[in-house]
Amino acid sequence: MGKTLYEKIWDRHVVVQQQAQPDIIYIDLHLIHEVTSPQAFDGLRLANRKVRRPDRTLATMDHSIPTTDRHLPFEDKIAEQQVEALRQNCKDFGIELFDLFSARQGIVHIIAPELGLTQPGQTIVCGDSHTATHGAFGTLAFGIGTSEVEHVLATQTLKQYKSKTMAINFNGKLPIGVTAKDLILALIGKYGHDFATGYVLEYRGEAIRNLTMEERMTICNMSIEIGARAGLIAPDATTFDYLKGKEYVPQGQEWEAVMEDWRLLQSDEDADFDRAVEFDCSEIEPQVTWGTNPGLVVGINSKVPGPAEVAEEKRQMVESALAYMDLEPGTAITDIAVNTVFIGSCTNGRIQDLREAAKVVAGYRVASGIRALVVPGSQSVKQQAEDEGLAEIFMDAGFEWREAGCSMCLGMNPDIAKPGDRVASTSNRNFEGRQGRDSKSHLVSPSMAAAAAIKGHFVDVRNWPIKVGEGV
Amino acid sequence: MEAFKTHTGIVAPLDRANIDTDAIIPKQFLKRIKRSGYGQFLFYDWRFDKNEQENPDFLLNREPYRNATVLLTRDNFGCGSSREHAPWAIEDFGFRAVIAPSFADIFYNNCFKNGILPIQLPAEDVQQLFEKASVPGYQLTVNLEKNFIADGQGYEKSFEVDDYRRNMLLNGLDEISATIQYDAEITDFEKNHKIHYSL
């Protein structure tokens, strides 16, 4: 019997295996940020413990920081204390920190791939549920709680039960104008946002092979939104092309040897998944969430569903979602007006996302009364977007152009949606109050968000009149 | 961590599925750098209105539920963000056990690190408990030594929890101390394990 990619990575990392206990597995890279780490460092101090491998630990600040001018003092003193605590902890324990003024600062899941720290076959953890992003490289990456952050700091290992495995086979080609974000939202919409609880997913099939690394990261990023522990994509030529020449990736002869090894990171033909799902990509439209979890989503040319249209056990969920979102069943998605647009996050804050949004925005103006933000996922993405002229396109159109950070994805920094605001957001969660108390979030792709900013309501971006010669 | 052997307390029936960790503890309270004191913010947007006044209709603002210690809820409890502030808030409010038909993975795992017992029961059993708990003040005893819950009025139901986690809770064990016992094995592993960079 062959092995799945997940099992192969797992086997490479088992340190101790015992009867009736979780395995102790080795962690290759531990990413930390200001929000879920301070209590872990306190725990180390209390027990008089050190960080076992500072050289396998990287810190940045992203969640609670402002994305406005970094030279201004923090308005939020509690957030400032948290950032200061991370500085002190990194100093005390000898951990490299990409601080606010570092050219390498950014959202933790954006910076590790762009530096080449995320490599096939590794294990990566972070006190953040979107750690699955790194799975796009054939890397076993998952979110952990603060107690486990402390465990990894102290031992560079975790005690883990093996998850069940599920193959997600995407069949057919993704239609033109339909993005990776639409693909993953459509999958969650079909199966529900707790469908994969207890599983690690492997995304497979032609549509996945055709995606860029940025797009694959968008897919894996949202694995948690279907309930999965992690999501994997086997590495291939696209992966190697992306990694080649990156700062932390081996060069020259060693590169060749490393690629040989990475090529082994494929599920065997006869590998046995606990479950397999076939998903047809060819009919997907651009997606817009209408409810209060990512599974409550429809195509742009659909209408908001009503309780009568869903199975009885889902009726209560739909009713409370409609009430919170202040939407009537039967409303055309294209009739939903927004007053806030957020482009960014670990889901869609990479350079390709900004290019796609800029293509839509070029030559247009943001509709009046709309607050529109573009928040690059990292300072490096920001720099590149400025070099490519994308920043100028956004600013000319009336978007705010910000410093890197998590920003309005989770509203725990000054970028908060106000009560009643309706947000077209490229982020990953539309839970009640996620982006700000009583605000209403609609998850979409970057190009869909850009089009909503221009029109003031959702439109089918496949019919968008792109103005050529506008610098993109 | 406080050991969990057996516990008796008032059941709070929170009849809602898919309660995410953003709802359990909203983001504005995640900036604190301490591990304690989160109970006052539990279910904040439901417990308090925009003017920070208690919402009198919310279950946990009513007697006897202010003193509830067993939380009864529906499917997919604790989904979303990995924030351990969620179990910290639940524990700090006074809850020792959470009963639901299903839990999100990370949350479930986080509970055991904080002395909270998450009990997964079939949906029909949870439904039955909701009916029983509609009587205010309904109490359950949660016995982890013998893996059952009972109400002292004839209702008794066994539950499953894997032996490793059960043992950790029963004895209030610290997982890090246990793993450090394998320091030599970890060092051995590191000698042969290739990582292509150092930070």
Side-chain angles (χ1 to χ4, degrees):
Chain A
M1 180 61 70
K3 284 181 178 172
T4 63
L5 170 57
Y6 172 64
E7 289 158 341
K8 289 183 183 183
I9 301 173
W10 187 276
D11 290 350
R12 287 180 175 207
H13 291 85
V14 173
V15 179
V16 177
Q17 210 154 31
Q18 283 180 311
Q19 274 291 314
Q21 278 208 30
D23 292 351
I24 297 179
I25 62 164
Y26 197 74
I27 302 303
D28 295 334
L29 178 62
H30 186 194
L31 302 168
I32 61 178
H33 62 83
E34 73 277 21
V35 178
T36 57
S37 67
Q39 296 86 355
F41 284 109
D42 279 353
L44 291 184
R45 285 194 184 92
L46 273 174
N48 205 16
R49 289 175 179 140
K50 296 184 305 189
V51 173
R52 182 183 175 90
R53 296 300 298 260
D55 60 332
R56 305 251 181 275
T57 312
L58 176 67
T60 190
M61 17 187 93
D62 52 9
H63 281 66
S64 62
I65 57 166
T67 59
T68 44
D69 187 350
R70 296 261 147 100
H71 295 86
L72 298 172
F74 272 46
E75 280 170 37
D76 184 341
K77 294 300 164 195
I78 305 175
E80 189 171 34
Q81 274 175 19
Q82 190 171 56
V83 161
E84 193 46 53
L86 181 63
R87 272 188 199 120
Q88 191 62 47
N89 288 331
C90 289
K91 197 171 154 215
D92 290 353
F93 290 91
I95 292 167
E96 173 143 35
L97 168 67
F98 295 162
D99 209 329
L100 283 186
F101 291 97
S102 166
R104 299 169 159 205
Q105 178 270 340
I107 305 175
V108 66
H109 309 309
I110 305 260
I111 61 175
E114 70 190 12
L115 289 166
L117 288 164
T118 302
Q119 296 179 8
Q122 287 182 327
T123 48
I124 299 182
V125 295
C126 175
D128 187 283
S129 63
H130 293 108
T131 307
T133 311
H134 308 269
F137 293 79
T139 306
L140 177 59
F142 52 91
I144 56 178
T146 299
S147 296
E148 289 184 321
V149 169
E150 187 180 336
H151 193 284
V152 179
L153 288 171
T155 69
Q156 203 59 30
T157 68
L158 269 181
K159 289 203 94 156
Q160 290 287 301
Y161 284 108
K162 217 187 239 182
S163 300
K164 291 178 282 185
T165 55
M166 192 189 306
I168 308 282
N169 297 311
F170 288 114
N171 301 318
K173 284 195 168 69
L174 213 51
I176 290 167
V178 177
T179 68
K181 182 66 165 289
D182 302 310
L183 178 57
I184 189 67
L185 282 173
L187 181 81
I188 302 168
K190 179 169 177 184
Y191 291 102
H193 76 303
D194 60 349
F195 174 70
T197 302
Y199 287 89
V200 166
L201 309 180
E202 184 179 334
Y203 302 104
R204 300 147 62 93
E206 185 186 2
I208 292 292
R209 290 294 136 218
N210 291 337
L211 296 179
T212 64
M213 287 314 293
E214 276 94 346
E215 292 165 334
R216 293 178 188 185
M217 284 189 255
T218 299
I219 299 280
C220 289
N221 172 273
M222 290 192 71
S223 299
I224 182 77
E225 311 309 338
I226 194 166
R229 196 74 213 275
L232 294 167
I233 293 174
D236 60 9
T238 304
T239 321
F240 306 145
D241 287 348
Y242 177 95
L243 284 171
K244 193 170 185 186
K246 293 248 186 296
E247 183 174 341
Y248 286 94
V249 172
Q251 317 285 336
Q253 268 191 341
E254 205 191 337
W255 165 253
E256 297 297 329
V258 159
M259 269 205 304
E260 278 307 299
D261 177 50
W262 289 346
R263 286 197 185 98
L264 304 173
L265 296 165
Q266 310 280 335
S267 289
D268 294 325
E269 292 276 338
D270 59 343
D272 196 14
F273 289 88
D274 294 301
R275 190 162 182 184
V277 158
E278 304 294 324
F279 189 82
D280 178 19
C281 304
S282 60
E283 302 289 322
I284 300 173
E285 294 193 307
Q287 302 284 303
V288 181
T289 67
W290 58 268
T292 51
N293 73 59
L296 300 177
V297 63
V298 290
I300 178 67
N301 295 306
S302 302
K303 292 179 163 54
V304 174
E309 296 161 55
V310 297
E312 199 184 330
E313 69 269 17
K314 297 216 165 124
R315 236 160 253 173
Q316 194 197 8
M317 173 170 83
V318 167
E319 277 168 4
S320 75
L322 287 170
Y324 181 83
M325 293 298 286
D326 196 16
L327 288 172
E328 290 294 326
T331 307
I333 296 293
T334 48
D335 285 342
I336 298 174
V338 299
N339 71 343
T340 309
V341 174
F342 169 60
I343 298 175
S345 86
C346 60
T347 311
N348 281 129
R350 284 170 284 271
I351 189 68
Q352 185 183 341
D353 300 311
L354 302 195
R355 285 181 192 140
E356 282 169 12
K359 207 180 286 177
V360 170
V361 169
Y364 289 93
R365 291 279 311 165
V366 169
S368 73
I370 290 192
R371 176 189 183 203
L373 269 66
V374 182
V375 186
S378 69
Q379 291 303 101
S380 143
V381 168
K382 178 172 187 262
Q383 186 62 51
Q384 193 171 346
E386 286 171 358
D387 293 346
E388 291 181 16
L390 308 181
E392 212 175 328
I393 290 171
F394 288 121
M395 287 188 282
D396 286 351
F399 280 86
E400 295 177 44
W401 178 249
R402 296 295 191 84
E403 304 293 327
C406 298
S407 184
M408 202 184 274
C409 172
L410 83 169
M412 71 172 293
N413 52 67
D415 301 336
I416 299 174
K418 295 187 297 299
D421 279 354
R422 192 175 288 282
V423 192
S425 181
T426 67
S427 56
N428 41 56
R429 283 192 184 125
N430 49 348
F431 295 156
E432 285 186 15
R434 168 81 176 177
Q435 298 187 286
R437 185 168 183 159
D438 292 330
S439 68
K440 297 145 195 2
S441 310
H442 296 272
L443 306 179
V444 288
S445 72
S447 53
M448 285 287 287
I454 307 300
K455 288 292 178 188
H457 59 87
F458 292 110
V459 294
D460 188 341
V461 76
R462 290 174 299 179
N463 306 323
W464 189 259
I466 287 176
K467 296 194 181 173
V468 286
E470 298 286 348
V472 201
Chain B
M1 186 180 77
E2 200 182 335
F4 188 118
K5 290 186 164 61
T6 179
H7 170 80
T8 301
I10 294 170
V11 178
L14 193 56
D15 194 357
R16 195 179 161 122
N18 303 306
I19 295 177
D20 56 76
T21 53
D22 278 83
I24 296 171
I25 179 123
K27 67 263 167 211
Q28 64 267 34
F29 307 114
L30 308 188
K31 292 176 225 167
R32 298 155 55 96
I33 55 176
K34 296 289 165 212
R35 204 173 179 126
S36 55
Y38 292 93
Q40 56 188 312
F41 310 123
L42 178 69
F43 300 125
Y44 191 85
D45 286 1
W46 296 338
R47 261 167 80 203
F48 301 97
D49 67 18
K50 284 163 206 151
N51 305 315
E52 300 179 10
Q53 300 301 304
E54 269 195 8
N55 165 14
D57 296 330
F58 186 65
L59 184 78
L60 300 183
N61 290 336
R62 304 200 311 254
E63 298 299 345
Y65 303 110
R66 287 178 191 277
N67 299 313
T69 57
V70 178
L71 185 63
L72 177 66
T73 184
R74 300 286 187 182
D75 265 313
N76 197 29
F77 187 77
C79 60
S81 157
S82 62
R83 58 190 68 166
E84 199 162 319
H85 310 69
W88 293 339
I90 287 171
E91 192 266 346
D92 191 54
F93 184 88
F95 288 111
R96 295 301 317 276
V98 186
I99 303 173
S102 62
F103 293 90
D105 280 346
I106 303 177
F107 176 83
Y108 184 80
N109 200 24
N110 281 341
C111 281
F112 288 96
K113 324 269 183 196
N114 292 285
I116 303 166
L117 177 63
I119 301 173
Q120 195 171 352
L121 289 178
E124 50 277 22
D125 292 319
V126 170
Q127 178 55 32
Q128 193 186 4
L129 283 171
F130 265 98
E131 285 157 21
K132 290 177 180 295
S134 65
V135 180
Y138 179 74
Q139 294 204 9
L140 276 176
T141 294
V142 178
N143 187 324
L144 184 59
E145 289 172 310
K146 294 183 177 159
N147 287 19
F148 72 85
I149 54 172
D151 67 1
Q153 303 168 52
Y155 174 86
E156 196 174 308
K157 181 84 203 166
S158 64
F159 61 84
E160 286 178 22
V161 55
D162 83 82
D163 285 342
Y164 170 76
R165 287 181 173 124
R166 179 168 170 272
N167 186 45
M168 297 295 289
L169 260 191
L170 279 174
N171 298 300
L173 295 179
D174 164 17
E175 201 169 53
I176 298 177
S177 303
T179 301
I180 283 176
Q181 306 297 314
Y182 294 97
D183 186 64
E185 283 83 353
I186 300 171
T187 304
D188 269 356
F189 180 90
E190 285 174 325
K191 280 182 197 146
N192 301 310
H193 184 67
K194 183 87 180 142
I195 298 172
H196 305 291
Y197 56 80
S198 272
L199 282 157

